[in-house]
Amino acid sequence: MVKEYSYEKDKNLFLTPHFQVWEFRSFWDEQDRLTTDTILIDEKLPELLEQIFAKLNCSIIKITSGYRSNDFDEAIGGFLGYHSKGMAADIMCYDSGNNLISSKDVCIAAEDLGILGIGYGSNYNHIDTRDWKSYFDETNGQVNIDSFYNYFGIKKPETNYKIGDTVEINGVYISSVDENMIDPLITTGTITKILDGARNPYLLNDGNIGWVNNACIVRKVDATKVINVGDKVKVINAIQYNGEPFVLYYDTYDVLEINGDRVVIGIGDTVTCAINISNIEKI
C-alpha cells in the first residue's frame, strides 16, 4: 500500500530500522531542493531495501532518488513511472568498510531475494515494488533480462537438495540471509522451499524449523525412518539420555515426546525413560 507523508511533519519517522521518511523525498540532486512537501512511499519498498541491507551486510544504503513529483519526474526526462507512484528507489549500497558495493552484486542479491523490479546502473541500482518481473540495464537500455547471473556471466551457486528431501541438520538460521547459526530444537526436517542463490536457501517444514544451507545439513535421510511422536520404535542401544543404562523389558516402545535429539519413550502413557534419538529406530 502506498502511503502519503509530509516532509515537514514526518521526515524523521522511521519506516524500518534503517530508513526514514526524509530519505525518499522528491528533490533536485544538484541543489538538494525539495520539489514538494508530499512524499509517497509504498510500504513494501523500505522492506525490500532492508532485505538487501541484510543480505549484503551493508553499512548504509543511500537513496539517490526516491519519490518524484510529476513535474520533477517530467523535468528530468521521466515518464511518470514507479518513482512518481512512490514505488521505486535508486540506491547506492556500501559495505562494512564503507566501500561502494558493485551494482552487479546488488542486482544478484536482489534477484536472489526474489525482488521483481531491478535495474542495473553504472554505480547505482533501481529497485521497485512491481508485481511482475522486469530486469533491465539502464546503462544501455537493455530490457527483458531473464537473469542477472546469465547477463553478467556469473555462475549461480548450486543447491544439492530438492523440495521434498528430508534432511538431518546440526544448525539452523532464522532467515535465508541470516549469518548467525543457532542450535536447532528439531534436528530433522523436510525441505519445503528453495531460494536459489540465497545464503541459506532451504526452508524446512514451512518455516517451523527455519532456514539451512549445505554446510549445516549433515545428511539426507529416509523420510520413512523419521521418528515422530506416536511412532513405535525399537531400542538399539539401551542407554538413557543421561548416559545411564536401563533394562529392556519390551521389544517396542511408544514415542511420547521429542525435543531435539531427546526422545521420551514408554508403553502407552507410562514413561520408560528419555533416550537419544540415535539409540532408537522406527519400526
Side-chain angles (χ1 to χ4, degrees):
M1 178 186 296
V2 176
K3 295 184 177 180
E4 181 176 321
Y5 299 91
S6 161
Y7 178 83
E8 184 63 31
K9 295 178 180 178
D10 305 315
K11 61 183 176 183
N12 293 322
L13 176 67
F14 275 92
L15 302 167
T16 62
H18 294 103
F19 298 98
Q20 293 174 272
V21 167
W22 70 267
E23 297 176 85
F24 296 84
R25 69 199 184 284
S26 178
F27 72 105
W28 286 96
D29 189 25
E30 295 83 359
Q31 304 171 16
D32 195 18
R33 178 173 60 83
L34 288 177
T35 66
T36 175
D37 179 69
T38 298
I39 306 175
L40 300 182
I41 307 173
D42 185 345
E43 59 187 351
K44 292 187 295 184
L45 183 57
E47 293 175 1
L48 294 183
L49 301 187
E50 280 289 348
Q51 292 179 36
I52 295 172
F53 195 104
K55 184 170 179 62
L56 292 173
N57 192 28
C58 295
S59 61
I60 189 172
I61 291 181
K62 180 181 179 182
I63 299 175
T64 60
S65 183
Y67 170 62
R68 299 174 187 166
S69 58
N70 288 351
D71 55 346
F72 173 53
D73 195 43
E74 291 177 328
I76 62 173
F79 52 93
L80 302 185
Y82 289 99
H83 281 281
S84 65
K85 295 178 175 65
M87 298 170 63
D90 293 341
I91 61 174
M92 299 173 72
C93 300
Y94 294 84
D95 64 19
S96 57
N98 291 322
N99 301 302
L100 182 64
I101 298 173
S102 164
S103 300
K104 292 182 180 181
D105 290 340
V106 178
C107 284
I108 293 297
E111 180 176 335
D112 288 344
L113 290 167
I115 296 172
L116 297 177
I118 310 171
Y120 168 74
S122 57
N123 65 348
Y124 72 94
N125 293 86
H126 169 100
I127 300 294
D128 66 55
T129 62
R130 72 183 75 198
D131 57 5
W132 54 280
K133 180 178 175 180
S134 179
Y135 297 168
F136 49 92
D137 185 340
E138 294 195 340
T139 67
N140 59 19
Q142 177 70 40
V143 296
N144 299 323
I145 296 172
D146 177 62
S147 168
F148 283 112
Y149 280 100
N150 296 333
Y151 188 67
F152 296 133
I154 298 173
K155 182 176 175 57
K156 196 170 190 176
E158 295 181 358
T159 51
N160 298 337
Y161 302 91
K162 64 182 185 299
I163 291 176
D165 284 348
T166 300
V167 294
E168 179 183 340
I169 61 173
N170 59 16
V172 69
Y173 298 85
I174 62 174
S175 74
S176 63
V177 298
D178 186 26
E179 297 182 356
N180 299 309
M181 186 176 74
I182 58 177
D183 293 331
L185 294 176
I186 302 173
T187 57
T188 303
T190 300
I191 296 173
T192 53
K193 183 177 182 179
I194 298 177
L195 289 181
D196 288 336
R199 188 184 190 284
N200 314 306
Y202 310 110
L203 181 66
L204 299 186
N205 291 23
D206 292 321
N208 291 324
I209 295 178
W211 295 84
V212 297
N213 54 42
N214 291 330
C216 54
I217 294 179
V218 177
R219 60 191 174 95
K220 182 179 175 181
V221 298
D222 184 346
T224 63
K225 296 182 178 180
V226 175
I227 297 172
N228 297 294
V229 173
D231 288 343
K232 291 189 177 297
V233 296
K234 68 177 181 179
V235 175
I236 57 178
N237 189 14
I239 301 296
Q240 298 182 65
Y241 194 79
N242 62 9
E244 297 292 327
F246 69 99
V247 178
L248 290 176
Y249 289 106
Y250 303 95
D251 293 331
T252 64
Y253 292 84
D254 300 310
V255 176
L256 307 180
E257 179 184 315
I258 300 176
N259 186 358
D261 62 357
R262 182 181 184 276
V263 181
V264 176
I265 60 173
I267 301 297
D269 295 331
T270 303
V271 173
T272 297
C273 69
I275 191 170
N276 192 294
I277 198 168
S278 64
N279 289 330
I280 56 177
E281 183 177 277
K282 184 177 179 178
I283 59 174

